[in-house]
Amino acid sequence: MLKNAIDYLYTEWHHKSAGFVGYGLNGGARAVEHLRLVLAEVHVADVRDQVGLHCFAEFDADGEVRPAGNQVDVLHRMLDEVTAWGGALATLRQR
């Protein structure tokens, strides 16, 4: 479904920036790797840092996200990079 949505909105993705938050047994690493390749084809600049949440350690009993301390730092760094890239790509989006 996500791939279909990306394909459907093909031109809307051009010259945007993206960061990734994955979750699962390996922090969603394989899913994020695949999504990076898909978004590259629609001209999205993705940032290197990503947050990988582990489904057993970083969610409480109610399903609320409780990331480990290092993940909070990575999240802030990733969001700063997405914001910076978004600004840098603004002139390309205005064409």
Side-chain angles (χ1 to χ4, degrees):
M1 293 173 84
L2 177 59
K3 173 71 166 74
N4 187 41
I6 292 168
D7 290 343
Y8 183 76
L9 299 170
Y10 180 81
T11 56
E12 284 82 355
W13 290 101
H14 283 205
H15 309 302
K16 303 281 176 62
S17 59
F20 300 98
V21 176
Y23 72 95
L25 293 176
N26 292 317
R30 299 303 150 265
V32 168
E33 285 177 1
H34 180 71
L35 190 54
R36 284 182 192 279
L37 295 172
V38 169
L39 290 179
E41 292 301 316
V42 292
H43 306 280
V44 171
D46 61 278
V47 300
R48 182 181 182 278
D49 288 317
Q50 72 184 48
V51 178
L53 302 175
H54 300 279
C55 60
F56 298 114
E58 297 179 289
F59 292 86
D60 67 16
D62 296 323
E64 295 291 321
V65 178
R66 301 283 183 232
N70 65 326
Q71 295 292 16
V72 174
D73 295 337
V74 173
L75 175 64
H76 288 289
R77 189 170 55 243
M78 180 190 71
L79 292 174
D80 289 344
E81 290 177 17
V82 168
T83 302
W85 273 104
L89 295 169
T91 56
L92 291 174
R93 287 192 300 272
Q94 294 171 355
R95 291 185 191 172

